[in-house]
């Protein structure tokens, strides 16, 4: 079995609470921008805002996640220096429709004119920066095999950024869901 065909990794307490707090403070102290879906802002498909993460915080997150990722996928995660990790804020309304994380030509083309970052890479790392009781709805779901996750603060969910890993976010019914998304490239061990 290759790393691309493995099921998602879910690892509670992968990130220390102190780092979660620093990341949450970062998003609260910076102006968030609306986020697109395939280069178009459409709140019926995705209703979220994002803030880019400084390199030193992204590197700290990858450092904490590396052993878990190596153990599950049997690869080494490598930061992509040409792009920033992003923190997403989802408030009440639509979450994010089912999609895959493989970058499309449409995204690349639209990004040249809309100022939105193209977040590519081999593997997606999602870090929960909210407690499950701080928002209603908002479960991260995968289509095949079906799975729904509402992870505790500091939990890592990692999965290949391929068309085979279709996932989304259920609509937020109350509160605010905050997650960090880091995309990494992989190096075989």
């Amino acid at each position: 079995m290759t790393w691309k065909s493995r099921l998602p990794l879910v690892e509670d307490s992968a990130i220390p609470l102190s780092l979660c707090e620093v990341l949450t403070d970062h998003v609260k102290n910076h102006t968030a921008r609306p986020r697109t879906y395939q280069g178009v802002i459409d709140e019926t498909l995705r209703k979220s805002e994002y803030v880019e993460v400084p390199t030193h915080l992204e590197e700290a997150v990858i450092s904490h996640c590396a052993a878990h990722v190596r153990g599950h996928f049997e690869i080494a995660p490598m930061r992509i220096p040409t792009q920033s990790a992003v923190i997403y804020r989802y408030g009440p309304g639509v979450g994010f429709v089912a999609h895959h994380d493989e970058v499309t030509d449409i995204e690349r083309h639209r990004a040249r004119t809309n100022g939105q970052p193209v977040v590519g890479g081999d593997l997606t790392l999602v870090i929960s920066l909210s407690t499950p009781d701080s928002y209603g709805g908002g479960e991260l779901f995968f289509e095949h095999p079906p799975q729904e996750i509402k992870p505790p603060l500091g939990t890592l969910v990692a999965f290949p950024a391929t068309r085979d890993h279709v996932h989304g976010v259920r609509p937020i019914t109350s509160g605010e869901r905050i997650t960090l998304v880091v995309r990494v490239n992989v190096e075989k061990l």
Side-chain angles (χ1 to χ4, degrees), residues 139-183:
E139 295 84 359
L140 174 63
F141 68 89
F142 291 88
E143 289 193 341
H144 303 291
Q147 183 178 16
E148 286 203 10
I149 307 163
K150 193 165 181 178
L153 178 66
T155 297
L156 163 67
V157 180
F159 52 93
T162 67
R163 294 176 190 261
D164 293 330
H165 290 82
V166 175
H167 61 285
V169 177
R170 299 279 183 227
I172 310 298
T173 58
S174 63
E176 183 177 60
R177 177 186 188 266
I178 303 174
T179 56
L180 168 68
V181 175
V182 181
R183 299 288 274 292

Side-chain angles (χ1 to χ4, degrees), residues 112-129:
R112 289 188 202 102
T113 59
N114 68 14
Q116 291 274 320
V118 174
V119 184
D122 297 324
L123 200 67
T124 300
L125 312 179
V126 178
I127 312 299
S128 178
L129 298 177

